[in-house]
Amino acid sequence: MPPPSDIVKVAIEWPGANAQLIEFDQVLFTAHAPSRGDIKNGTILRLAISPVTARQLLERIQSHGIDARLEALKELAKLSADPTFATEFINMEGLATLARLVESGTQYDFGEMLAFTLTAFLELMDHGIVSWDLISVSFIKQIAGYVNQPMVDVSILQRSLAILESMVLNSHSLYQRVAQETPVAQLIAHLQVSNQEIQTYAIALINALFLKTPEDRRQVHTHTKPTHWNRPVKAEMAHQLYVLQVLTFNLLEEHMMTKMDPNDQTQRDIIFELRRIAFDGDNDPSGTEKRKAIYTKDYKMLGFTNPVNPAMDFTQTPPGMLALDNMLYLAKVHQDTYIRIVLENCSREDKHECPFGRSAIELTRMLCDILQVGELPNEGCNDFHPMFFTHEHAWEEFFCVCIQLLNKTWKEMRATAEDFNKVMTVVREQITRALAMKPPSLEQLRVKLRSLSYSEILRLRQSERMSQDDFQSPPIIELRERIQPEILELIKQQRLNRLCEGSCFRKLGNRRRQEKFWFCRLSLNHKVLHYGDLDESPQGEVPFELLTDKIPVSDIKAVLTGKDCPHMKEKSALKQNKEVLELAFSVLYDPDEALNFVAPSKYEYCIWTDGLSALLGKELGSDLTRSDLDTLMSMEMKLRLLDLENIAIPEAPPPVPKEPSTYNFTYNYG
C-alpha cells in the first residue's frame, strides 16, 4: 500500500550534527504556515542557529566546570564558521571572552581546551566582523609564546601560527608587534620538524612577515637553514615554498637594477680583485702607466668588452651590479674553478676563446629572466625548485654551476665570437630543460646538465621537430582529416570521464586555503552536476552522497570564463590577480544563478571547461585540447605510416601510363 500523498521524506540538518531523514506531514505544516507551499520528497531543511543558542553557549564557556567548558568550546569551534552565529556570538562580547581566556595563561595553557579556543577565535575573526587592530598586546604575547615554546602541542602551534599570519596580513601595527615577539630564527626552527602542516604554517608566517618588512630590512628573512624537501609536498606547502623562493630571489632586484659607478673606487677595487686572483698573487693596486697597460691586457684576457675601463660593462640593467657580485663569489669561493676557466680560455686561439666577463654578465641576465627576478608571486602557483632550499647561497652556487656549463658548451660547439648568441641560446635550453626535471640538489643539477650536452640538445631538437612536423602531401593531409574526428571524440570522452571523477576546488578569498574546500563531479549518466562543501581536501573521489547540491545539465544555459564570470566582477585585490582570472569559470543555470569555480591549476581549468563544452555540444577550444590533439594525431599518424618509414611520399599520385601499342605480352591460359 503506497504512503499517503501528504507524507514526504525530508532531511533535517542543524549545526554540529549529521543530517537525519524523517517523515514530514504537510497537512500539519501548512495548517500553521499555509504560505510555505508544498514540500517535495528529498528536500533538505537547514535549521538556523538562534541567538539563544549563542547566549547559552557563551554561558557554558564561562562556567567553572572544566568538562562543561570543554564541551562548549568544542561545539563553538564547529559553529564559528557560520556567519550568522558568528555575528550573534561577537555581539554578545563572545570574542572578548575568548581573548580573556587565552590571556589568562597558566591554568589555561595547552591541551584540548586551548586548541578549541584558538580554532573558534580564528574562525570568528575570519568573518571580518571585528578589526584585527583591536587585539591586545597581552593576547599577541601569549600567542607568540606558544610559537616560541620548544615543546608545544601540534594543534596549538598550528593555530597560533595561523593567527599570527592573519595579524600580520591584516594590520601594519600588529605586524610590528608580531615581528618583535616572534624571532625569525624560531620560525625557521619549525621548518626542521617532520609535520608538513607545521612547516606550511611556519613558511606562510615567514612570507607574511617578509612582505610587510621594509625593503632595507628584508635580508634577515632569507637566512633559512638548508632544507631538503625530498618527500611529497602538498599543494599549499608547494605554494608557500614558491612564494618564499620568489620573495628571496626578489632581493636580488636592487643590485640587478643598479648601474656600476665608474668613479666609485670601492666598486673598481672589485674588478681589480678579479684580475689579481686570476693573474697574480700580489695585492698592490699602485698604478703606473706600465701597470695600466698590463691591466688593460689582463682585462681583455678576462673577456671584458671594455678592457680599458671594464666598469662600463656593468652600466646596463639588468643585470647591473648583480653580475659583478656573481663573478666575485666565483673567484673567491671557487677560486680554482675561476682560474681554470680564465686561463683555459687565454690559451685558446683568439677566435675560439670564450670571453669570461661578457659570458658572466649575459648569463646573469639570462638567469634573472628564467627565474623572473623582480616579479610578484602568482596566486595559486606552486612551481618551486627544491634545490634552492639546500644551500645558504643557492643563487650564487646556481650561477657557478651554469658558468661552467657555458664554458663546456662553448668548447663542444667549437664556437667563435660570432657564435656568442647561438651558444647562449643552447645554454638557456640546457638550463630550462634541467630545471624542468626539478633536481633536489645543486649536485643533482650538475648531473642533469652533464647529460644535456650540445649533441644531446641537437638530438632532442631533431626528435621533437620530427614529432611536430606536419607532412604536407595531399595523401597525408587527407589521412589527417579522416583521423581527426576520431581523436576529438576520444579527447571528449576523456574529459567527461574526468568530470565524473570530480575535482576539489578552493573557496575564493579564504587565506587558509587548505581548510576551505568544495567538490564537484558529474553523474555517471552525464545528466547532473553534484557539488558540496568539504572540511578538508579529499585524497580520492568523493561519494555522491556527501555532495548535497546538484544542477541538472539540462538547466545549464552557458559557461563563462575569465572576466565575464560573476565572481570576477567583484572588486577585490585577490580576484583581480591575473593568475586567478585565467583559472576562473562559471556555470550559468538560471538568469540569476551561477556556480562559480577557480580551478587549482591550468590543467584542471582546461579539463573542466572542455568537459562542460562537451556537455553543451560545443567545440573543445582549450590549449590542452590543441596539445592533446597534436600529440595523439602525431602518434596515430606514425603508427599508420610505419611501413612507409624512410620512403618519400610523393606530392601527387603517379601519372597513369599510356596504353601499350600492342598487347602481345599477354599470355593466353586457354
Side-chain angles (χ1 to χ4, degrees):
M1 179 177 178
S5 58
D6 293 327
I7 302 296
V8 294
K9 291 185 177 182
V10 298
I12 303 293
E13 284 187 355
W14 59 90
N18 295 324
Q20 291 189 7
L21 192 66
I22 65 170
E23 292 187 347
F24 195 82
D25 190 336
Q26 292 191 85
V27 174
L28 295 176
F29 181 70
T30 53
H32 293 86
S35 63
R36 297 300 181 101
D38 290 342
I39 296 176
K40 299 178 181 179
N41 269 315
T43 301
I44 299 175
L45 301 180
R46 294 181 175 87
L47 301 184
I49 302 164
S50 69
V52 176
T53 306
R55 188 178 298 109
Q56 291 174 345
L57 202 54
L58 182 58
E59 290 172 357
R60 287 164 55 198
I61 290 170
Q62 293 172 314
S63 68
H64 297 292
I66 298 296
D67 292 339
R69 183 185 293 183
L70 178 60
E71 287 303 314
L73 287 168
K74 191 180 297 186
E75 189 175 345
L76 176 64
K78 293 180 181 178
L79 296 178
S80 295
D82 180 80
T84 304
F85 172 82
T87 303
E88 295 294 343
F89 189 79
I90 291 172
N91 288 341
M92 296 173 184
E93 299 297 324
L95 198 59
T97 300
L98 295 182
R100 284 195 297 271
L101 290 173
V102 175
E103 292 167 8
S104 62
T106 56
Q107 80 277 9
Y108 201 70
D109 276 349
F110 312 109
E112 278 190 300
M113 198 176 292
L114 179 56
F116 288 126
T117 303
L118 296 180
T119 300
F121 182 87
L122 189 56
E123 290 284 359
L124 292 167
M125 290 299 296
D126 268 355
H127 292 294
I129 301 169
V130 178
S131 170
W132 282 92
D133 286 316
L134 300 177
I135 303 300
S136 68
V137 173
S138 59
F139 182 86
I140 298 172
K141 286 187 174 183
Q142 196 68 31
I143 297 296
Y146 300 135
V147 172
N148 297 331
Q149 288 275 357
M151 296 293 291
V152 69
D153 185 79
V154 170
S155 58
I156 294 171
L157 177 58
Q158 180 190 53
R159 289 156 178 77
S160 298
L161 288 167
I163 290 172
L164 292 177
E165 181 197 0
S166 292
M167 289 180 182
V168 171
L169 293 174
N170 286 284
S171 169
H172 180 70
S173 60
L174 290 187
Y175 146 71
Q176 294 176 319
R177 175 61 66 176
V178 172
Q180 180 181 336
E181 298 289 341
T182 315
V184 174
Q186 182 59 47
L187 296 177
I188 292 171
H190 291 311
L191 301 184
Q192 310 305 317
V193 302
S194 58
N195 187 310
Q196 193 170 121
E197 285 204 3
I198 295 300
Q199 291 178 326
T200 304
Y201 278 101
I203 295 174
L205 179 52
I206 290 173
N207 289 339
L209 289 167
F210 196 120
L211 286 166
K212 289 299 182 81
T213 303
E215 290 188 12
D216 58 341
R217 294 181 53 236
R218 284 186 178 175
Q219 195 68 34
V220 69
H221 290 299
T222 64
H223 295 159
T224 57
K225 295 179 181 178
T227 308
H228 291 264
W229 309 104
N230 292 327
R231 57 204 176 95
V233 174
K234 294 181 181 178
E236 176 62 12
M237 177 71 160
H239 173 68
Q240 294 297 343
L241 287 170
Y242 155 77
V243 172
L244 182 59
Q245 174 184 291
V246 171
L247 295 176
T248 302
F249 283 145
N250 282 357
L251 292 172
L252 304 170
E253 184 180 15
E254 183 180 356
H255 268 209
M256 180 183 78
M257 301 307 295
T258 300
K259 297 180 180 181
M260 185 171 183
D261 181 1
N263 299 316
D264 188 319
Q265 188 59 45
T266 303
Q267 295 177 1
R268 292 171 66 88
D269 285 346
I270 297 175
I271 297 178
F272 179 83
E273 183 70 1
L274 291 174
R275 189 211 66 82
R276 185 194 67 76
I277 294 173
F279 298 115
D280 57 45
D282 67 73
N283 195 20
D284 177 20
S286 59
T288 62
E289 289 300 319
K290 181 178 179 181
R291 184 170 291 276
K292 286 182 181 178
I294 294 174
Y295 284 3
T296 299
K297 180 183 177 182
D298 289 347
Y299 290 142
K300 184 177 181 181
M301 293 172 69
L302 275 172
F304 287 111
T305 307
N306 298 278
V308 176
N309 186 7
M312 298 302 296
D313 283 24
F314 301 95
T315 54
Q316 288 189 356
T317 58
M321 288 293 292
L322 186 59
L324 189 59
D325 295 341
N326 287 340
M327 294 164 72
L328 184 63
Y329 181 89
L330 174 68
K332 287 198 167 186
V333 179
H334 301 282
Q335 193 170 115
D336 291 345
T337 300
Y338 168 69
I339 294 173
R340 178 179 55 79
I341 290 174
V342 173
L343 297 184
E344 193 177 79
N345 284 292
C346 292
S347 62
R348 293 181 191 168
E349 300 176 36
D350 284 348
K351 66 175 184 177
H352 286 295
E353 63 182 12
C354 177
F356 170 73
R358 182 185 176 191
S359 298
I361 291 169
E362 290 304 316
L363 178 63
T364 302
R365 190 200 314 273
M366 179 198 296
L367 297 183
C368 288
D369 183 52
I370 291 173
L371 296 175
Q372 299 181 320
V373 175
E375 297 287 333
L376 291 175
N378 285 324
E379 179 71 25
C381 183
N382 55 12
D383 186 25
F384 83 100
H385 296 282
M387 68 178 185
F388 290 128
F389 296 90
T390 63
H391 199 285
E392 291 186 11
H393 299 283
W395 164 262
E396 292 86 351
E397 290 293 326
F398 181 48
F399 168 83
C400 293
V401 171
C402 293
I403 194 68
Q404 294 175 73
L405 167 73
L406 193 157
N407 195 56
K408 173 175 171 285
T409 302
W410 184 281
K411 288 188 289 184
E412 291 173 349
M413 294 178 68
R414 296 188 57 78
T416 63
E418 289 77 17
D419 301 319
F420 186 87
N421 290 333
K422 292 181 182 177
V423 175
M424 296 305 292
T425 300
V426 173
V427 169
R428 184 186 187 99
E429 187 172 343
Q430 290 171 315
I431 293 171
T432 52
R433 285 181 183 272
L435 287 177
M437 300 177 197
K438 301 290 183 184
S441 66
L442 288 160
E443 187 53 44
Q444 281 296 310
L445 174 68
R446 293 178 190 272
V447 174
K448 303 291 185 189
L449 290 173
R450 277 199 293 271
S451 68
L452 290 169
S453 62
Y454 176 55
S455 59
E456 177 64 10
I457 292 295
L458 291 179
R459 189 192 68 78
L460 289 170
R461 285 178 176 178
Q462 178 68 13
S463 174
E464 290 168 2
R465 189 159 47 243
M466 288 180 65
S467 68
Q468 294 171 2
D469 277 348
D470 289 329
F471 299 109
Q472 297 303 314
S473 63
I476 299 300
I477 293 174
E478 183 180 348
L479 179 60
R480 288 179 62 87
E481 290 174 350
R482 289 187 179 183
I483 293 173
Q484 185 162 315
E486 301 173 18
I487 301 297
L488 284 173
E489 182 62 26
L490 181 65
I491 294 172
K492 174 184 172 182
Q493 290 304 318
Q494 187 272 340
R495 300 294 192 264
L496 292 173
N497 289 341
R498 277 287 291 106
L499 262 62
C500 289
E501 293 175 11
S503 297
C504 183
F505 299 92
R506 177 175 60 83
K507 284 200 170 183
L508 194 63
N510 181 57
R511 279 187 304 280
R512 294 177 293 119
R513 286 177 290 276
Q514 69 277 23
E515 294 189 359
K516 301 290 183 181
F517 298 97
W518 66 287
F519 198 89
C520 185
R521 63 181 296 196
L522 178 66
S523 63
L524 299 180
N525 61 6
H526 299 174
K527 292 185 177 180
V528 180
L529 279 178
H530 295 263
Y531 64 97
D533 292 345
L534 298 176
D535 292 331
E536 58 184 16
S537 180
Q539 299 303 312
E541 290 186 11
V542 176
F544 289 108
E545 295 76 20
L546 297 180
L547 305 176
T548 56
D549 299 301
K550 59 185 179 180
I551 301 172
V553 171
S554 59
D555 289 353
I556 297 177
K557 308 298 182 186
V559 177
L560 304 179
T561 60
K563 294 180 180 179
D564 296 330
C565 298
H567 58 314
M568 291 294 110
K569 293 179 180 179
E570 302 172 17
K571 292 184 178 179
S572 164
L574 175 64
K575 293 172 185 175
Q576 296 303 319
N577 185 290
K578 180 182 176 183
E579 186 77 14
V580 174
L581 280 172
E582 291 176 350
L583 300 176
F585 61 98
S586 298
V587 172
L588 299 186
Y589 59 94
D590 190 88
D592 300 318
E593 295 292 338
L595 184 60
N596 298 317
F597 299 74
V598 174
S601 65
K602 188 67 176 177
Y603 174 80
E604 288 291 331
Y605 171 85
C606 293
I607 289 290
W608 276 84
T609 52
D610 280 346
L612 292 169
S613 296
L615 286 175
L616 299 179
K618 297 183 178 180
E619 289 187 7
L620 281 60
S622 74
D623 294 340
L624 183 63
T625 291
R626 286 191 287 273
S627 173
D628 287 351
L629 181 62
D630 289 343
T631 301
L632 294 173
M633 285 288 289
S634 176
M635 292 172 61
E636 186 66 20
M637 292 289 288
K638 286 179 180 178
L639 287 172
R640 297 200 183 194
L641 298 174
L642 276 177
D643 293 339
L644 298 177
E645 191 171 357
N646 297 323
I647 297 176
I649 300 174
E651 292 291 326
V656 177
K658 293 180 180 179
E659 287 190 17
S661 57
T662 67
Y663 289 87
N664 293 336
F665 57 86
T666 61
Y667 181 81
N668 190 351
Y669 287 94

